Amino acid sequence: SEGEEKERTKAFNQLIVIFILIIGALLFMLTVQFKSIKRALTILFSVPLAIIGAVLGLYFSGNSFGFMAFLGVVSLAGIVIKNAVVWVEFVDRAQERGEPLGEAIVDAGIKRFRPIILTAATTIGGLVPLALFGGVLWEGMAWAMIVGLALATVLTLYVIPVLYYLLFRRSSLRP
């Protein structure tokens, strides 16, 4: 009915506001942790990559973007942010040891590749039964997370290092 649709739209709009507030709080916390808004923004850039994958997962699986899919996207954002934080910390530590930026980025990519891939693979593996047999309630969330995590993992391993290099190459040049 019209009243139910109005309530659903109102609730969904509130969820979007909450998601934006969460991203804002994460930006603040990451900026404080890394003492750099550029690093925080680089890390948070992995979230849109995950959302693109989640939307594709929902589209190709024929599911709508409901409450459970929204929860899947929030969970997905946490996973990809964790991967990006670990990668950025690895690059920063390598640079503190005197490693040039380019080498630090490549080294972080090589050394963090297996843990990032294994995290994604085990999460995806755990979600496959929900996607296939979870029923209407879980299917959308599972497909959003599976495709979102797969795409975000691949893109994060390529896009975040390139973005990081472009943002920090000037500050790492030594006279």
Side-chain angles (χ1 to χ4, degrees), residues 50-151:
I51 291 172
I52 291 168
V55 169
L56 289 174
L58 290 169
Y59 176 77
F60 288 119
S61 67
N63 287 287
S64 63
F65 194 79
F67 179 74
M68 293 302 287
F70 182 81
L71 288 180
V73 169
V74 171
S75 300
L76 180 60
I79 295 168
V80 297
I81 287 171
K82 177 203 59 94
N83 286 342
V85 165
V86 169
W87 184 86
V88 167
E89 284 180 336
F90 200 92
V91 172
D92 287 348
R93 283 195 201 117
Q95 283 204 282
E96 286 170 6
R97 292 190 306 269
E99 203 170 314
L101 178 64
E103 287 179 32
I105 288 172
V106 170
D107 197 33
I110 291 168
K111 291 186 177 162
R112 300 306 311 158
F113 180 79
R114 185 180 298 164
I116 288 172
I117 292 295
L118 286 175
T119 298
T122 56
T123 303
I124 289 169
L127 289 168
V128 167
L130 277 178
L132 298 176
F133 311 111
V136 177
L137 182 64
W138 300 103
E139 190 176 316
M141 180 193 79
W143 282 117
M145 289 184 71
I146 288 169
V147 179
L149 185 56
L151 184 67

